Structure formats: structure tokens, C-alpha cells
């Protein structure tokens, strides 16, 4: 959430941000309500002074002038409550301000590839897409997934299920042992205010799964509960940065274009992910952002996957982000780059919603932390990349060396 004072004093900056984001948030309505609110506060203060003066001059509480003043005060108080509630509702619709280093663009086509790592493998046969490999190996069952839950669901079987579990274990071990992240196992359902703090509500309500009876929301990513882990707290500056890694299933409606990505496991309503999350001092957030990206890259390198880093343009960064790098791995069977991580610096946008502040010393004024998040990494696209890059001519899949201690085999056959 942006501070209303910042919006009031930087209208042109906010308006420009909405333009380059292709966003139609109600800025003018917010400004009008804010102006009315400040005017009402002045009227309220004047009426309170008049009320005190009338009470001093006449102790009769039943006087017409005293009653009229009380009625006017109540009317203004009621209006202010309505304005405050409406302002909160509208402010939740304003996205974060992109950093100056974010390229201006109109779509994902304007994202910038910053660097590549590795060379695509060369095959002496035509590499197959993962859906052909998996069905022949019997490690994924698409039909029974649909039978149980409908389209965009599948079942992992045998070594397919073990491969996913191995990847989760490897990533959590790497991030906690090498990256100094603390492992968290959060709830997979959260309250409405927790979903709002992360920036998912109200913007993305249509893409979330919701239990109407208890008003609980299934997490679309572990970023949601991790954002509010310290909600309402004032942290000691000496404890920052705080670094967390969490595995959860993720639930999304994924309203995709008809016919898009219908084959395989690239897009589904339920998938697993290891998420990285940081709370940092404002002056350290840019450094922590690059360190998080390096942590993500290290996993791709350990798995021997070819990848590239993209700097996202203004039209493609997420609602809460001020700057985002995407990590994409190469899948030779699908013949496409697959996004497996988005590393974002949200600055104080989420911290304002969640009320997370810190003091640099006991006497210092409390200020908002900066929050950062990134997939470290997202499944099942990493599985797709492994299966397609490590496939053999006989249809088997070679297990990457980094996973063999978890898989207890060198080959999926």
C-alpha cells in the first residue's frame, strides 16, 4: 500500500506509474476523498472548539445551540468514518511504484534478457516433450488426475513423485544450509487480512480459491503467510535481515486462454513451490534482492540447467513489486523457456499493509521494513526441465547428480 501522504505530495509520480503499468486504479477518486477528508477534519476541529465555548457560556445541555452543534459533530464524524473506510478500499487498488531502473514497456515482449548461463544440451535424437516421456515411463497419470479433480490436475506416481520430493528436499537444504534461510512450514489456508497484506486481495480475488463459510483463503504461494509472519510487530534493527524459506502447495484458478498450455504439467490449479522471503532494512534491500537472485541461480546451476535472467518491464511486474527479475530454464522437448522464479523487491509496499516496522536503535523512530520474495524454485516446471534435458535415447531419464542421494537411483526408467 502506498502512503496517502506520498500520493498527495507525488501525484505526478503515481499517475506516471499507473500509466507505465497500464493500470486504471482510481487515483482521482482517492485524491478527491483525501481533500474532502482534510476539509472535514478542519470543520470537526472548529466545531469541537465551538462546542466547548458554548458549554462554557451555558451549562444547559438541552439548549438548541448545543444540540445543533452535537448533531453537526456527529454528522461530520459519520462522514469521516465513511471516507476513511472508502479510502482504505481504494488505496488497496493502487499498485507499487516501479523503481527507476525498471524498463518501461507495454507487455512481456518488452522484458529485457540480462544474461544467460550454460549451453543447451545436444541430442543425437529428437528430444521428446515431457508428457510423452512421463506417460511411457508411468511416472505421471493425467487421466486419473482429471478423474479425481478435473482439468489441470494430474497424479505423480513412483519415481515421478520421488523426483518432486527430492527437488523440494534439495532446495530446502541448499537454502537453509548454504543461504542462511530459516525454514518455515506455514499454514496453507489464511485469513482475509493475511491475503490482503501480501497484495493478493482485493486485486486477484478471482484467481484464488476461497472457503466461503469460514472466509479462509488457500495460499497461491508461501509468500502470503510469510508476509504476515511479523505483522503488527516492531522489529529490532539488529535482527535484520530476516530470511525465510518455506515449502507449500500453491492453489490458483489459473484462468488461461482457451487451448493454451493444455498438454503436460506446465500449468495447473495445484502445484508445489519452495519460496524465499526476506525482511530487510531499506538501505539493504537492493543488495538483498541481488543476493536472493544468486540463491535462485545456484539451484539451477546445481541441477545443471540452462537458464536466463530477465528484467521485467513496468507492464509485467506484479502488483506488489517495485522491481522483478525472472529466471527461465530451457526445456528442449517443449522448445521453450519456462519461468521457474520471479524475484521481487516490494520495498515497503507489503510492510505498510501488514504493519511491519523496525527501529535501528531503541530511541529511533519506527520505520517500515522492505520485503522481498522469490521462488526458490517452482515446481513442476523444474521437473519439466529436468525430464526434458536429461532424457536418453531409450526414453529413460538420467537423474542429475545433485538429486541422486535423495532419489536413491541414477535413472528413471
Amino acid at each position: 500500500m502506498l502512503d496517502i501522504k506520498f500520493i498527495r505530495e507525488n501525484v505526478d509520480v503515481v499517475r506516471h506509474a499507473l500509466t507505465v503499468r497500464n493500470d486504471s486504479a482510481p487515483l482521482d477518486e482517492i485524491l478527491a476523498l483525501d481533500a474532502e477528508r482534510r476539509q472535514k477534519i478542519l470543520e470537526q476541529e472548529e466545531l469541537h472548539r465551538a462546542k466547548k465555548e458554548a458549554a462554557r457560556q451555558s451549562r444547559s445541555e438541552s439548549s438548541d445551540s448545543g444540540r445543533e452543534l452535537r448533531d453537526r459533530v456527529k454528522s461530520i464524524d459519520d462522514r469521516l468514518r465513511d471516507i476513511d473506510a472508502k479510502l482504505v478500499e481504494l488505496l488497496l487498488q493502487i499498485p507499487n511504484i516501479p523503481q527507476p531502473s525498471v524498463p518501461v514497456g507495454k507487455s512481456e515482449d518488452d522484458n529485457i534478457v540480462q544474461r544467460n548461463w550454460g549451453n543447451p544440451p545436444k541430442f543425437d535424437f529428437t528430444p521428446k516433450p515431457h508428457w510423452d516421456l512421463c506417460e511411457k515411463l508411468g511416472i505421471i497419470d493425467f487421466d486419473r488426475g482429471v478423474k479425481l479433480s478435473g482439468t489441470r490436475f494430474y497424479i505423480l506416481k513412483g519415481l515421478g513423485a520421488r523426483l518432486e520430493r527430492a527437488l523440494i528436499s534439495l532446495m530446502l537444504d541448499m537454502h537453509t544450509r548454504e543461504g542462511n534461510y530459516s525454514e518455515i512450514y506455514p499454514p496453507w489456508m489464511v485469513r482475509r487480512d493475511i491475503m490482503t497484506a501480501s497484495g493478493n486481495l482485493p486485486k486477484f480475488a478471482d484467481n484464488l480459491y476461497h472457503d466461503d463459510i469460514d472466509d479462509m483463503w488457500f495460499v497461491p504461494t508461501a509468500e502470503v503467510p510469510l508476509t504476515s509472519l511479523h505483522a503488527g510487530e516492531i522489529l529490532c534493527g539488529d535482527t535484520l535481515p530476516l530470511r525465510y524459506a518455506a515449502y507449500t502447495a500453491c492453489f490458483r484458478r489459473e484462468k488461461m486462454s482457451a487451448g493454451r498450455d493444455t498438454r503436460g504439467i506446465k500449468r495447473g490449479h495445484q502445484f508445489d513451490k519452495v519460496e524465499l522471503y526476506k525482511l530487510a532494512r531499506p538501505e539493504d534491500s537492493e543488495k538483498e534482492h541481488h543476493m536472493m537472485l544468486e540463491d535462485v541461480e545456484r539451484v539451477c546451476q546445481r541441477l545443471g540447467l540452462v537458464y536466463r535472467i530477465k528484467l521485467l518491464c513496468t507492464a509485467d511486474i506484479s502488483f506488489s513489486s517495485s522491481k522483478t527479475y525472472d529466471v527461465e530454464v530451457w526445456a528442449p522437448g517443449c522448445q521453450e523457456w519456462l519461468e521457474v522464479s520471479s524475484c521481487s523487491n516490494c520495498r515497503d509496499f507489503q510492510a505498510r499493509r501488514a504493519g511491519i516496522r523496525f527501529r535501528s536503535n531503541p530511541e529511533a523512530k519506527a520505520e517500515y521494513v522492505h520485503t522481498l520474495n522469490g521462488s526458490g524454485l517452482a515446481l513442476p516446471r523444474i521437473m519439466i526441465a529436468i525430464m526434458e534435458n536429461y532424457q536418453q535415447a531409450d526414453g529413460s531419464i538420467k537423474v542429475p547428480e545433485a538429486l541422486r542421494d535423495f532419489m536413491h537411483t541414477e535413472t528413471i526408467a
Side-chain angles (χ1 to χ4, degrees):
M1 178 184 287
L2 299 183
D3 182 16
I4 185 62
K5 184 173 183 289
F6 173 86
I7 294 175
R8 183 190 313 134
E9 296 175 354
N10 300 272
V11 175
D12 290 342
V13 172
V14 178
R15 198 178 300 280
H16 175 70
L18 293 176
T19 299
V20 298
R21 276 178 164 273
N22 295 332
D23 198 293
S24 57
L27 177 60
D28 290 334
E29 188 176 355
I30 288 172
L31 294 171
L33 280 173
D34 178 54
E36 182 184 354
R37 180 180 184 275
R38 286 181 289 141
Q39 180 59 39
K40 291 296 183 186
I41 289 174
L42 291 176
E43 294 177 19
Q44 184 187 57
E45 292 171 350
E46 182 61 34
L47 283 173
H48 280 302
R49 282 193 293 269
K51 186 179 175 183
K52 287 180 180 179
E53 180 62 21
R56 187 181 66 81
Q57 294 178 359
S58 173
R59 297 299 177 184
S60 174
E61 295 189 5
S62 61
S63 67
D64 291 341
S65 61
R67 188 182 304 108
E68 181 183 354
L69 282 172
R70 288 195 299 274
D71 290 344
R72 290 172 64 189
V73 168
K74 182 179 184 304
S75 176
I76 289 178
D77 288 346
D78 290 344
R79 178 57 184 158
L80 277 173
R81 277 193 293 271
D82 291 341
I83 290 174
D84 287 342
K86 186 64 177 178
L87 269 176
V88 170
E89 175 188 331
L90 296 178
L91 285 170
L92 290 174
Q93 299 177 40
I94 300 287
N96 205 349
I97 304 293
Q99 295 183 31
S101 56
V102 175
V104 175
K106 296 182 178 180
S107 72
E108 62 182 17
D109 295 333
D110 296 316
N111 296 337
I112 298 174
V113 176
Q114 293 210 314
R115 64 178 182 274
N116 292 68
W117 187 90
N119 297 306
K122 295 182 178 179
F123 298 90
D124 54 10
F125 59 94
T126 301
K128 296 178 180 178
H130 66 281
W131 52 82
D132 286 342
L133 290 167
C134 294
E135 287 193 312
K136 290 182 179 178
L137 290 170
I139 58 176
I140 297 182
D141 192 326
F142 295 104
D143 293 337
R144 287 188 171 87
V146 172
K147 181 173 74 172
L148 290 177
S149 303
T151 58
R152 306 284 184 179
F153 288 93
Y154 54 88
I155 289 174
L156 296 175
K157 298 168 55 180
L159 290 177
R162 192 187 300 178
L163 174 61
E164 176 133 331
R165 178 160 51 89
L167 282 164
I168 293 167
S169 297
L170 171 70
M171 292 186 288
L172 286 174
D173 279 0
M174 287 185 65
H175 294 312
T176 55
R177 295 181 180 181
E178 301 172 22
N180 295 318
Y181 292 84
S182 296
E183 185 173 348
I184 300 291
Y185 184 76
W188 294 3
M189 297 181 70
V190 296
R191 302 192 315 267
R192 177 180 293 269
D193 60 308
I194 305 303
M195 195 67 78
T196 300
S198 66
N200 282 271
L201 285 178
K203 180 75 171 179
F204 304 108
D206 290 345
N207 203 40
L208 302 171
Y209 286 103
H210 178 222
D211 170 34
D212 292 325
I213 296 176
D214 294 326
D215 193 23
M216 296 288 283
W217 299 76
F218 290 82
V219 298
T221 164
E223 174 194 345
V224 172
L226 292 178
T227 296
S228 290
L229 206 59
H230 295 282
E233 298 181 20
I234 299 179
L235 305 171
C236 174
D238 292 341
T239 66
L240 299 177
L242 294 174
R243 303 183 178 101
Y244 296 118
Y247 153 70
T248 65
C250 304
F251 305 91
R252 302 179 187 179
R253 282 204 167 92
E254 291 283 10
K255 296 183 177 180
M256 294 142 291
S257 301
R260 183 184 177 189
D261 301 327
T262 55
R263 302 196 69 181
I265 60 174
K266 179 182 174 183
R267 290 184 183 272
H269 298 302
Q270 174 187 322
F271 61 94
D272 287 341
K273 181 155 70 80
V274 171
E275 182 77 2
L276 304 179
Y277 201 88
K278 294 185 180 184
L279 297 93
R281 292 171 177 259
E283 64 268 25
D284 295 334
S285 68
E286 191 66 18
K287 177 186 70 175
E288 292 294 333
H289 194 190
H290 287 286
M291 290 174 63
M292 177 180 284
L293 183 60
E294 291 172 359
D295 293 331
V296 171
E297 289 186 73
R298 191 177 301 115
V299 178
C300 294
Q301 292 170 9
R302 189 73 54 87
L303 293 170
L305 298 175
V306 176
Y307 67 87
R308 66 184 185 183
I309 306 296
K310 274 187 174 180
L311 175 60
L312 300 195
C313 72
T314 52
D316 205 29
I317 59 175
S318 70
F319 180 82
S320 298
S321 175
S322 71
K323 185 175 184 178
T324 298
Y325 295 99
D326 270 7
V327 180
E328 298 179 336
V329 296
W330 175 246
C334 299
Q335 284 290 298
E336 63 179 313
W337 293 95
L338 302 176
E339 176 206 323
V340 295
S341 180
S342 287
C343 291
S344 299
N345 186 346
C346 298
R347 293 195 165 181
D348 64 358
F349 188 83
Q350 292 177 324
R352 287 183 179 278
R353 289 179 170 227
I356 312 169
R357 296 177 293 168
F358 78 99
R359 284 195 176 96
S360 55
N361 62 69
E363 289 75 35
K365 179 182 177 182
E367 55 184 305
Y368 288 102
V369 301
H370 280 194
T371 63
L372 305 97
N373 66 81
S375 305
L377 298 159
L379 301 156
R381 294 181 183 182
I382 281 293
M383 289 185 63
I384 293 174
I386 288 174
M387 291 186 287
E388 294 189 3
N389 279 283
Y390 284 91
Q391 62 180 293
Q392 307 297 301
D394 62 0
S396 64
I397 298 170
K398 185 179 177 182
V399 175
E401 188 172 346
L403 293 173
R404 290 177 185 173
D405 286 344
F406 299 97
M407 289 287 292
H408 309 296
T409 183
E410 296 184 3
T411 305
I412 300 175

